[in-house]
Amino acid sequence: MSTLRNKVQLIGNLGNNPEIITLDSGKKLVKFSIATNDSYKNAQGEKVKDTQWHNVVAWNKTAEIIDRYLEKGNEVAIEGKLTSRSYETKEGEKRYITEVVVSEILMLGGK
């Protein structure tokens, strides 16, 4: 059961082109978002489409593969874990962000 802790699997489409960053240490980081879609029927029986956006990051070799082969609109399956962090804006406001850190990615097809 310990392998099921903090595990996320998502299938969705990239909402933007991946942004690659090379850190001073030489490590590579890529950031992008993916949209997942769900649908349900409301009280009136109408089909409602619900889109959720997820912030995604990947490191090193995985980051390089994503940067090389993926672009906005591509469908992917990702597996990873959730991480949360906070930061302060220039105005002194505290902001929180939750991201999926990718451990595996599968390219599923076109846009």
Side-chain angles (χ1 to χ4, degrees), residues 63-83:
E64 291 174 17
I65 290 167
I66 291 167
D67 183 52
R68 180 176 297 153
Y69 295 108
L70 295 178
E71 61 184 22
K72 181 179 179 176
N74 288 143
E75 186 178 25
V76 295
I78 63 168
E79 183 174 288
K81 65 180 182 177
L82 285 179
T83 60

Side-chain angles (χ1 to χ4, degrees), residues 12 14-15 17 22 24 28 32 48-49 52 54 57 62 64 70-71 75 85 90-91 101 104-105 107:
L14 271 72
N17 287 325
T22 303
D24 293 339
K28 300 218 185 244
F32 59 98
V48 177
K49 186 176 175 182
Q52 296 290 317
H54 311 275
V57 297
T62 306
E64 291 174 17
L70 295 178
E71 61 184 22
E75 186 178 25
R85 59 185 172 86
K90 293 177 186 174
E91 295 79 27
V101 179
E104 292 187 43
I105 188 160
M107 295 171 244

